[in-house]
């Protein structure tokens, strides 16, 4: 049985929904796994959204460990200057070390970063096999999901995707584990592409932002595939068809793979999760 560690800031409804979907799939036996613990870098009382997330974890009876990164940063700033990059990096290192100390009693096979709004440091990446979702196809744009979508629009891309990757010290650049792709051309996209040209994009980005119709449509298609990809990936781990060893992604024959294309599996699940 796959032992999962779950990291989340729990800052929005999506964080709750993802935990709920995976928990239900585990309870139904679809994913042969157990969530050993949930770690959150927020503590009760910091925000209404994270409080709802923490309450959900408690309702499932999953061990919950909370350690406020905000409070740690404010108290540590008295001894470690955080206004320069070196000081902030040292502060983050100390925070990760304290988190690892708090999690000493747990031995997860993999850790899922599910809406965890901190960058895991090198020592934590070395200690745990951590996986993360990035809303782009392998080789696609990096950065936040908002910047990814605007990059797709600015470059006139024909497809996008979602991928799960191994977390490394380089943000969004770890080895690809699984991915899916989908077209952003044809119906219903084309009528929105017609309203876009290179000269108009900076103005659209500034004045419309996330309200732009093409932007929203691409985001909608990404979101429809995120949960199915995560569920399919965890199921593959639980069945042993994918595993991680010494920072490499291996198939069930023990051979290295550079990402498994789960497009077909994901499309079959879209609308069912």
């Amino acid at each position: 049985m796959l032992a999962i560690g779950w990291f989340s800031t729990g800052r929005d409804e999506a964080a709750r929904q993802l935990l709920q979907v995976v928990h239900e799939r585990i309870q139904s036996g679809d994913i042969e796994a157990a969530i050993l613990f949930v770690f959150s870098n927020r503590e009760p009382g910091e925000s209404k959204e994270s409080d709802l997330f923490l309450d959900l974890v408690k309702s499932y009876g999953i061990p919950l460990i909370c350690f406020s990164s905000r409070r740690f940063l404010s108290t540590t700033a008295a001894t470690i200057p955080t206004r320069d990059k070196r000081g902030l990096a040292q502060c983050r290192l100390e925070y990760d070390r304290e988190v690892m100390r708090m999690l000493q009693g747990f031995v997860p096979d993999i850790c899922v970063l599910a809406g965890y709004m901190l960058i895991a440091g090198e020592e934590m990446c070395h200690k745990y096999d951590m996986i993360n979702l990035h809303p782009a196809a392998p080789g696609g744009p990096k950065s936040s999901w908002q910047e990814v979508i605007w990059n797709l629009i600015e470059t006139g891309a024909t497809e996008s995707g979602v991928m799960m990757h191994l977390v490394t010290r380089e943000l969004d650049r770890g080895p690809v584990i699984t991915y899916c792709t989908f077209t952003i051309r044809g119906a219903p996209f084309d009528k929105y592409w017609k309203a876009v040209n290179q000269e108009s994009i900076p103005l659209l980005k500034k004045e419309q932002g996330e309200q732009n119709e093409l932007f929203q449509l691409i985001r909608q298609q990404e979101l429809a595939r995120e949960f199915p990809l995560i569920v399919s990936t965890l199921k593959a781990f639980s069945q042993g068809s994918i595993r991680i060893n010494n920072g490499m992604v291996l198939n069930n024959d023990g051979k290295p793979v550079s990402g498994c294309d789960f497009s077909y599996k994901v499309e079959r699940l879209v609308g069912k999760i």
Side-chain angles (χ1 to χ4, degrees):
M1 180 177 289
L2 183 70
I4 301 172
W6 197 272
F7 287 70
S8 181
T9 302
R11 67 171 184 161
D12 55 21
E13 184 180 11
R16 300 192 298 274
Q17 289 175 336
L18 178 53
L19 177 64
Q20 182 178 15
V21 166
V22 172
H23 176 75
E24 289 174 353
R25 290 303 177 107
I26 290 174
Q27 293 301 304
S28 70
D30 189 37
I31 301 175
E32 298 179 11
I35 300 177
L36 295 186
F37 66 85
V38 171
F39 174 81
S40 178
N41 64 302
R42 284 185 179 169
E43 296 176 351
E46 287 194 51
S47 83
K48 289 183 179 180
E49 290 292 333
S50 58
D51 282 353
L52 289 172
F53 175 79
L54 301 181
D55 288 342
L56 179 65
V57 176
K58 293 174 185 176
S59 74
Y60 291 153
I62 301 172
L64 173 64
I65 299 91
C66 299
F67 184 41
S68 173
S69 55
R70 184 183 304 167
R71 179 172 56 82
F72 181 86
L73 184 63
S74 63
T75 56
T76 308
T79 56
I80 301 177
T82 58
R83 284 172 290 192
D84 58 61
K85 290 185 178 180
R86 182 178 298 180
L88 184 59
Q90 181 62 32
C91 185
R92 285 300 320 284
L93 176 62
E94 295 299 330
Y95 178 82
D96 281 356
R97 286 173 174 171
E98 182 60 22
V99 171
M100 289 186 286
R101 187 193 66 78
M102 297 173 76
L103 298 176
Q104 278 183 348
F106 300 99
V107 186
D109 296 314
I110 60 170
C111 290
V112 179
L113 303 191
Y116 187 60
M117 304 312 296
L118 297 180
I119 299 174
E122 185 174 4
E123 290 187 9
M124 185 171 283
C125 291
H126 181 73
K127 183 174 178 63
Y128 302 117
D129 288 329
M130 311 182 85
I131 65 175
N132 183 51
L133 181 138
H134 181 63
K142 308 300 179 185
S143 193
S144 67
W145 64 266
Q146 294 95 333
E147 288 300 319
V148 166
I149 295 176
W150 278 115
N151 183 285
L152 295 172
I153 295 174
E154 289 166 350
T155 59
T158 59
E159 70 172 22
S160 187
V162 183
M163 68 175 175
M164 297 291 295
H165 66 91
L166 189 62
V167 178
T168 63
R169 60 183 296 180
E170 295 184 272
L171 185 63
D172 297 332
R173 296 185 183 277
V176 178
I177 301 169
T178 61
Y179 67 93
C180 66
T181 58
F182 57 91
T183 182
I184 53 175
R185 296 288 179 161
F189 292 94
D190 283 353
K191 67 177 181 178
Y192 300 116
W193 277 111
K194 290 178 181 178
V196 173
N197 57 64
Q198 291 301 116
E199 291 74 21
S200 70
I201 289 175
L203 185 62
L204 293 175
K205 188 175 181 180
K206 180 180 180 181
E207 294 188 348
Q208 297 182 4
E210 295 178 23
Q211 302 307 309
N212 176 267
E213 291 179 307
L214 179 57
F215 181 101
Q216 290 184 333
L217 185 57
I218 294 173
R219 179 57 174 165
Q220 178 186 348
Q221 296 302 311
E222 286 179 350
L223 288 173
R225 290 160 176 80
E226 287 185 358
F227 286 12
L229 181 64
I230 293 172
V231 167
S232 298
T233 302
L234 291 177
K235 186 172 182 177
F237 271 109
S238 72
Q239 294 173 335
S241 57
I242 300 175
R243 58 190 176 91
I244 298 169
N245 186 33
N246 293 325
M248 298 179 65
V249 182
L250 309 177
N251 61 18
N252 55 356
D253 293 324
K255 296 180 180 179
V257 292
S258 55
C260 300
D261 187 351
F262 276 18
S263 297
Y264 178 73
K265 292 182 180 181
V266 168
E267 291 306 311
R268 290 184 63 188
L269 289 172
V270 168
K272 296 182 180 180
I273 291 181

